[in-house]
Amino acid sequence: MKKIISRSWLRFTTFLLSCLLSVVSFAQDKGIDVDINVKKESAWYQNPVVWVIGGAVFILLLVALLRGGEKKSA
């Protein structure tokens, strides 16, 4: 008898939690647009061109530093 009660209690709580999770997941689907950038201005570091140029300069400096340590054969 105890086993039947605990099993039905488990089924009931599982059903209740799944309904609650379903309600929570539908509540997340409202599609509210939250924009913290009110002025619509972008910073310089948000531009991908800046990152590409910075990466190229970094690689050139790295290559120059690593090649500068080689001995020249005469």
Side-chain angles (χ1 to χ4, degrees):
M1 183 71 174
K2 247 184 181 181
K3 202 174 201 178
I4 294 172
I5 292 174
S6 74
R7 184 173 289 171
S8 50
W9 177 253
L10 180 65
R11 285 183 182 176
F12 175 72
T13 54
T14 304
F15 173 73
L16 190 64
L17 284 175
S18 64
C19 287
L20 180 67
L21 287 175
S22 175
V23 168
V24 169
S25 67
F26 281 125
Q28 298 293 323
D29 196 28
K30 283 192 175 185
I32 297 173
D33 184 26
V34 178
D35 189 14
I36 60 171
N37 192 5
V38 180
K39 296 180 182 178
K40 301 291 183 201
E41 296 175 2
S42 62
W44 63 270
Y45 52 82
Q46 290 177 333
N47 192 354
V49 175
V50 173
W51 288 100
V52 170
I53 292 172
V57 168
F58 176 74
I59 290 173
L60 287 174
L61 285 173
L62 190 64
V63 167
L65 288 173
L66 292 176
R67 296 199 82 178
E70 292 180 3
K71 293 183 179 180
K72 296 181 181 179
S73 59

